[in-house]
Amino acid sequence: MSGLVAAVKVSGSVRPNPIAELADAFEQICGRSRKREILSVRQGDVSVAALDYGSSPAFVIRNGKSFTVLSGSPLIGDRNASDLRELDGHFAGFQYDSEADLVRIANDRFGMQSLFVSRADGWMLVSTSAVTLAAYQRSSVDVIGAAAYLLCGSQFGPRTHWQGITRVEPATEIVVKNFDFRENQYWHPIACTDPARSIKDAVRSSARTWCDEMSSLAVQDPMQVDLTGGYDSRLVLAAMLASGREVTTQTAGSLDSIDVRIAQEVSRVAGVEWRHECIDRNEPDVDQLGLAVAWSSGTLDAFQLSEVFESHRKRLDGSVITGGGVEHFGPYPWLQEFARAGRTERVNVSNLFAMRLLSSPGDVPISLELRREVELYLRSLVDQVCNRYQGCLNTVKLDAFYAYKSVGHFGAYRSATEVLTHSYIPGYFRSIFSEGFSASFELRARHRLHRGIIDSLNRKVASIETERGGPAAPVRASNFYRFAPYYYRLSKAAYSKIRGETQRQGSGKLSLSDHYVIGRFEGSGWLRDSALAYELVDAGCLSSSLCSRPEVLRRLYTVESALELGRPG
């Protein structure tokens, strides 16, 4: 990844340009870059530093005295990079227009490249790293932002772990001219569902769009698809093969897991090379944990992300293609609505919070008062997205909200792992996303559109079962019996959710990371004595029962580590 920091004067401040200090702070936290390039104009009133970490150097485009700096994985190709709003892919952009004497700062339509801004002493500060800005400004903790991560396991919306450090919302453009600035959202998904559209037409149009985008993907490196046992990554693989691209596949996990077994079989019938990745070590790598906290700004489980980093280090050079966002071709974004999906405009926010967003009240050691404040904040984000789609069905609103909150998962992972490799999420390319978003909920229900597209692209790949049961092919008389496990699991999951039972993933066996955080919690008084316990955690809720929820302890470790990074000695 190329780290990006910038400083733009927005008042008559006499403070010198802080760009060099910002770049130093970035490298102190995220590691020394291979190359640092600083561009400065207007006697230092506008400066940007691009920090090259090797895997994907910054795109620096010069045009006379004007310039554009792009961080991330933008899809430039033959597109005009002079208008950041027209670019596709995943990027954070900083642009100086010498003729108009103005600065434009923008990110991609879905916020899949992290970008943050703050104000300090008459300067607007910009960075792809929130913890860098926090360390430079010595920012105080934003208790609601940090608690939102503890409760959700991800962080989306404008709040971060620090006061005054704001996450740039998806599809945002900030224009600075004459010490003044304005901010606007330049795009949001348009609801254009055609209820009369047939499944055949939807499959044909979607398959064509997938093939067009994959064949025109301007990536010359070897490409590897992160393949699982589900529909999403399989659709990506089928589209890559149908468009004539050479790819390999990789799957992480235990060899006896259903995900790994299915992915291996899919790769075999597809005729592509498959690699199995299994992290084998005796204890967590502390250096990798630190890197994970730094590059995610403490918004992803540091233990899980460190394993992803280790996996990426073992890969061959090239780009990674993931199945994120392909959920918009299926029913996942609104499954918690059950029979009400597509039958009303009203979103069941209680189900959304209980089944998709929040941990149960006793899981996270924060006060009920703070939890209520976080819920009010999250509710404001839900309303913000849903209010754009007045008069639309709840499925449309929840589809848009799922894309919005994916900033905190797919976007955060993609941004963090680019320190090691280029990473693309085709499901969040504009034309591909629009195909799924415009399909009616009836076509996406029961994975009809998923199955139709995969089958039309590669029938061999579609014929293999999925982790949910049944093949990734349309239901036919010849294969109907193969779908019995799918409908059994679907009905069982629905019954459990209606009864309020929690669906725990995994075998229940503790990992090395779990043992590490439990041992630290029990043996060293960790959290009880830390500043975090007094600023964020309700000390009265810290009990041995937390040892039964190591995932909560991992989140606490991640937040504490991030706050320490943002509080340099």
Side-chain angles (χ1 to χ4, degrees):
M1 176 183 178
S2 55
L4 183 150
V5 293
V8 182
K9 186 179 284 190
V10 291
S11 76
S13 172
V14 296
R15 181 176 179 176
N17 189 310
I19 191 66
E21 294 174 67
L22 273 175
D24 288 344
F26 194 107
E27 292 192 282
Q28 180 181 356
I29 290 169
C30 297
R32 184 165 299 279
S33 64
R34 296 187 181 185
K35 177 183 178 183
R36 177 196 295 192
E37 182 176 3
I38 295 180
L39 294 85
S40 185
V41 294
R42 276 189 3 202
Q43 290 77 50
D45 287 355
V46 175
S47 296
V48 59
L51 299 121
D52 178 6
Y53 281 83
S55 63
S56 51
F59 296 85
V60 179
I61 304 168
R62 294 179 173 83
N63 182 15
K65 294 182 179 180
S66 301
F67 60 82
T68 300
V69 179
L70 297 169
S71 178
S73 298
L75 299 180
I76 298 179
D78 58 359
R79 294 176 172 89
N80 183 5
S82 64
D83 189 346
L84 298 177
R85 297 168 299 180
E86 290 301 314
L87 285 180
D88 208 349
H90 324 300
F91 67 89
F94 184 95
Q95 185 176 77
Y96 174 68
D97 184 335
S98 61
E99 290 188 9
D101 193 26
L102 59 79
V103 171
R104 291 188 180 90
I105 301 159
N107 61 350
D108 63 83
R109 291 172 177 81
F110 301 97
M112 292 294 123
Q113 170 57 56
S114 299
L115 183 63
F116 306 90
V117 297
S118 65
R119 296 279 299 276
D121 299 323
W123 291 87
M124 175 181 286
L125 308 180
V126 184
S127 181
T128 50
S129 167
V131 69
T132 293
L133 296 179
Y136 174 76
Q137 297 181 213
R138 299 182 179 273
S139 303
S140 301
V141 178
D142 184 327
V143 176
I144 293 177
Y149 166 72
L150 291 177
L151 286 168
C152 298
S154 65
Q155 193 181 70
F156 52 92
R159 286 184 181 268
T160 66
H161 293 338
W162 300 275
Q163 294 179 22
I165 313 297
T166 302
R167 177 177 291 99
V168 177
E169 297 273 64
T172 293
E173 180 187 51
I174 302 170
V175 180
V176 186
K177 183 177 176 66
N178 296 329
F179 297 146
D180 192 17
F181 67 94
R182 69 177 189 274
E183 179 177 318
N184 67 282
Q185 185 179 34
Y186 64 84
W187 182 88
H188 65 79
I190 303 300
C192 53
T193 303
D194 180 4
R197 194 183 195 193
S198 69
I199 183 68
K200 185 177 180 180
D201 289 341
V203 166
R204 183 186 301 114
S205 177
S206 297
R208 182 170 56 247
T209 299
W210 270 98
C211 286
D212 288 346
E213 285 290 343
M214 295 300 97
S215 60
S216 64
L217 187 60
V219 179
Q220 302 302 319
D221 299 326
M223 290 180 285
Q224 188 171 80
V225 175
D226 266 339
L227 189 62
T228 68
Y231 291 95
D232 302 332
S233 59
R234 194 178 309 190
L235 195 158
V236 172
L237 174 62
M240 297 291 282
L241 295 174
S243 61
R245 305 304 294 257
E246 291 188 9
V247 297
T248 61
T249 59
Q250 183 267 348
T251 309
S254 172
L255 269 174
D256 60 357
S257 71
I258 189 170
D259 240 17
V260 171
R261 295 200 311 269
I262 291 175
Q264 183 179 18
E265 179 63 9
V266 168
S267 301
R268 186 190 67 78
V269 301
V272 299
E273 179 186 347
W274 174 78
R275 292 180 64 248
H276 171 244
E277 194 65 64
C278 185
I279 306 302
D280 183 19
R281 60 188 181 208
N282 295 322
E283 61 183 18
D285 186 322
V286 176
D287 291 336
Q288 291 274 44
L289 287 175
L291 188 67
V293 172
W295 280 92
S296 69
S297 290
T299 63
L300 295 170
D301 183 321
F303 295 88
Q304 292 180 352
L305 182 57
S306 69
E307 292 184 358
V308 173
F309 279 173
E310 188 168 336
S311 174
H312 280 313
R313 288 185 189 281
K314 294 179 179 178
R315 295 175 189 262
L316 300 175
D317 291 337
S319 300
V320 176
I321 318 294
T322 73
V326 187
E327 294 90 346
H328 296 286
F329 288 82
Y332 186 76
W334 61 74
L335 278 180
Q336 71 278 358
E337 292 285 334
F338 301 111
R340 297 175 65 259
R343 311 300 177 189
T344 177
E345 296 177 16
R346 181 177 174 273
V347 170
N348 189 327
V349 179
S350 295
N351 278 9
L352 177 64
F353 275 38
M355 300 179 187
R356 289 297 171 85
L357 291 182
L358 300 179
S359 301
S360 57
D363 287 345
V364 178
I366 65 175
S367 68
L368 289 177
E369 180 181 355
L370 178 55
R371 184 184 176 94
R372 282 193 289 268
E373 289 188 71
V374 171
E375 290 180 358
L376 286 173
Y377 168 62
L378 294 175
R379 178 59 191 258
S380 73
L381 300 180
V382 174
D383 291 343
Q384 170 188 312
V385 174
C386 292
N387 287 342
R388 298 188 191 123
Y389 300 95
Q390 294 288 345
C392 294
L393 294 173
N394 55 5
T395 50
V396 173
K397 296 174 181 178
L398 286 165
D399 215 19
F401 182 71
Y402 186 86
Y404 177 78
K405 79 180 187 68
S406 289
V407 165
H409 181 68
F410 297 125
Y413 266 107
R414 198 215 65 79
S415 299
T417 56
E418 279 228 337
V419 66
L420 300 173
T421 183
H422 263 307
S423 181
Y424 295 92
I425 312 175
Y428 287 118
F429 293 172
R430 176 175 52 179
S431 60
I432 289 177
F433 173 85
S434 296
E435 285 286 350
F437 191 69
S438 63
S440 70
F441 75 94
E442 292 99 335
L443 300 184
R444 289 168 54 176
R446 301 180 300 282
H447 299 281
R448 292 176 67 203
L449 186 55
H450 263 146
R451 291 169 177 156
I453 298 170
I454 296 171
D455 190 66
S456 71
L457 294 172
N458 192 309
R459 299 198 72 171
K460 288 183 178 180
V461 165
S463 68
I464 306 302
E465 68 174 321
T466 69
E467 62 181 353
R468 298 176 183 271
V475 179
R476 303 183 177 98
S478 59
N479 67 7
F480 182 78
Y481 70 95
R482 296 182 63 192
F483 287 91
Y486 167 74
Y487 289 106
Y488 170 74
R489 290 171 186 167
L490 189 65
S491 60
K492 183 179 179 181
Y495 177 73
S496 297
K497 285 188 175 183
I498 291 172
R499 285 173 54 88
E501 297 174 4
T502 303
Q503 296 295 302
R504 298 295 176 89
Q505 295 181 347
S507 63
K509 182 180 178 181
L510 294 178
S511 67
L512 289 170
S513 298
D514 296 337
H515 285 295
Y516 178 84
V517 291
I518 290 171
R520 186 173 178 187
F521 176 68
E522 290 181 324
S524 65
W526 167 59
L527 289 178
R528 294 181 180 85
D529 301 327
S530 70
L532 178 61
Y534 300 99
E535 296 175 354
L536 178 60
V537 173
D538 183 349
C541 297
L542 292 173
S543 67
S544 59
S545 63
L546 270 178
C547 295
S548 65
R549 295 303 304 273
E551 67 273 24
V552 175
L553 290 176
R554 294 198 305 268
R555 293 179 194 175
L556 289 166
Y557 175 94
T558 299
V559 171
E560 183 189 41
S561 300
L563 295 180
E564 287 300 313
L565 274 181
R567 194 184 294 128

